Amino acid sequence: MTFATLAELGWSAPFQLQVTPEDALLAPARISAVHRDRVDALAAEGPLSLILPPGLMTSAVAVGDWVLTDGRVLHRLLDRQSVLTRRAAGKGVDRQLIAANLDRLAIITSCNAEFNVARLDRYIALAHAGGVAPAIILTKADTTDPAPYLAEAELAARGGPVLALDSRDPAAAQALAQWCGPGQTLGLVGSSGVGKSTLAGSLTGIEQETGPIRETDSRGRHTTSARFLIRTLFGGWLIDTPGMRELRLAEAAEGIAATFDDLDALALTCRFTNCAHDSEPGCAVRAAVDAGSIDPDRLARWRKLIAEDRHNNETLHEARIRSRSFGKTVKSTTPAKGRKR
């Protein structure tokens, strides 16, 4: 069996520079799956199953991460070149890792009732915040006139690539080949039922289970239940993610600014530096809306994401303070080793 070289796996200078002489007995490997108590990885000598050292939880490791290992134990997690995170779904307050060291994030949506510009904004901000170049892929283009969907997606993409295709067409994979050649890693995100699993199967040659589409909202059931690093037919790598019902941004201010770069630039010319772009005098953003050069719905979506990110940042900060305080309390009340009682 022929295994991928480190370069083919995506190993590059920024990772090599992190290897020190003290790491001479360790080898690089890339995380391909994260389980409850261990991780799978790909190395130059083939696949590995690694245990984690004390103090490192699997929740701190993402599919796509580069690590140093002795072949049995994960000894060190290398700094990431890009990473996708979100605030945990439900009532959770932690940041949840989605994937690491992606070169391109393909945001999959469909030309039907599932299409939602606000959701596209959210995914694009997620990509920019994590240092990943986004692309929008419109599926089900064979079922309707894709032109209106393309127009809206191109406005949201702000010059980024937008493609319309039929995910069942064998040629669809070729359209994405430019982003998953040797050494490249492509991520797929999007709601369930938009053809994401079908595209993933075309890119990797591995058929994935697909669920039926509900007629009420043009959505499907979750078919991808976990994240894996899978080799594509074009020599690169794919990380397919489960359909996310809830994508809450946190610590994504830079990503939101990049997604709404036109509004962010206008905001710098407002009279007041703390302008909320509502009814303040001298607001350049409101003036542009009144003049018709800025879509008021786009302004509303921008303000909503900024408010959400600020709220989630405060919640995360408070949770970290509570965690540190709890840790200090536990440490102060735990008898020192060897102390006489």
Side-chain angles (χ1 to χ4, degrees):
M1 181 181 294
T2 302
F3 300 120
T5 66
L6 289 180
E8 290 171 338
L9 279 166
W11 183 258
S12 59
F15 301 114
Q16 182 63 50
L17 289 172
Q18 298 178 56
V19 180
T20 68
E22 289 75 20
D23 300 318
L25 299 179
L26 303 178
R30 196 169 186 198
I31 301 301
S32 57
V34 177
H35 305 286
R36 187 182 299 273
D37 58 353
R38 63 182 177 83
V39 296
D40 294 337
L42 299 174
E45 65 271 23
L48 304 171
S49 179
L50 305 175
I51 60 175
L52 273 61
L56 181 63
M57 306 291 289
T58 55
S59 58
V61 183
V63 172
D65 269 330
W66 277 100
V67 302
L68 297 179
T69 173
D70 61 6
R72 189 182 70 87
V73 178
L74 188 166
H75 282 269
R76 187 152 69 87
L77 186 65
L78 298 183
D79 292 341
R80 301 163 177 130
Q81 295 305 295
S82 65
V83 61
L84 298 182
T85 66
R86 65 170 176 172
R87 182 178 165 183
K91 296 182 180 180
V93 296
D94 295 329
R95 289 180 71 195
Q96 182 183 52
L97 292 170
I98 300 173
N101 298 316
L102 297 170
D103 298 294
R104 175 75 65 170
L105 183 68
I107 302 163
I108 316 298
T109 187
S110 52
C111 299
N112 55 25
E114 187 276 338
F115 183 89
N116 184 294
V117 177
R119 190 188 305 116
L120 287 180
D121 289 339
R122 196 171 287 268
Y123 276 119
I124 294 169
L126 172 78
H128 284 310
V132 186
I136 299 175
I137 311 299
L138 299 172
T139 60
K140 307 186 190 299
D142 56 308
T143 63
T144 186
D145 176 12
Y149 299 97
L150 276 168
E152 286 197 71
E154 287 168 352
L155 286 174
R158 303 289 301 160
V162 178
L163 304 176
L165 47 78
D166 173 8
S167 58
R168 299 169 301 176
D169 185 342
Q174 193 64 48
L176 278 63
Q178 59 185 309
W179 300 316
C180 50
Q184 295 178 300
T185 304
L186 172 69
L188 299 185
V189 293
S191 303
S192 297
V194 296
K196 189 161 58 71
S197 294
T198 302
L199 267 179
S202 297
L203 287 166
T204 62
I206 301 173
E207 186 174 351
Q208 301 191 34
E209 180 186 357
T210 56
I213 306 300
R214 296 191 299 258
E215 294 183 1
T216 53
D217 58 6
S218 300
R219 295 192 184 188
R221 294 186 300 199
H222 291 267
T223 53
T224 303
S225 58
R227 302 175 185 93
F228 298 96
L229 182 71
I230 306 173
R231 193 167 195 171
T232 72
L233 299 174
F234 306 100
W237 302 90
L238 178 74
I239 300 178
D240 189 9
T241 65
M244 289 183 276
R245 290 191 179 93
E246 190 175 3
L247 177 59
R248 298 193 293 175
L249 299 179
E251 300 179 340
E254 291 185 5
I256 295 170
T259 304
F260 296 89
D261 57 347
D262 52 337
L263 298 181
D264 196 63
L266 267 178
L268 296 177
T269 64
C270 290
R271 181 184 301 177
F272 303 108
T273 56
N274 62 345
C275 183
H277 320 298
D278 186 8
S279 56
E280 294 87 349
C283 175
V285 176
R286 291 300 319 181
V289 171
D290 294 341
S293 57
I294 294 293
D295 182 357
D297 290 339
R298 180 169 169 78
L299 171 60
R301 299 197 306 270
W302 178 53
R303 293 179 62 195
K304 179 179 179 179
L305 285 184
I306 290 175
E308 176 187 323
D309 183 64
R310 184 179 296 119
H311 170 75
N312 287 339
N313 290 349
E314 292 171 354
T315 304
L316 285 171
H317 179 66
E318 291 167 0
R320 287 165 181 162
I321 291 176
R322 286 196 300 269
S323 178
R324 286 196 294 268
S325 177
F326 177 74
K328 290 178 181 178
T329 301
V330 170
K331 186 175 181 180
S332 65
T333 57
T334 301
K337 187 175 181 180
R339 181 188 299 168
K340 293 183 179 179
R341 297 186 181 182

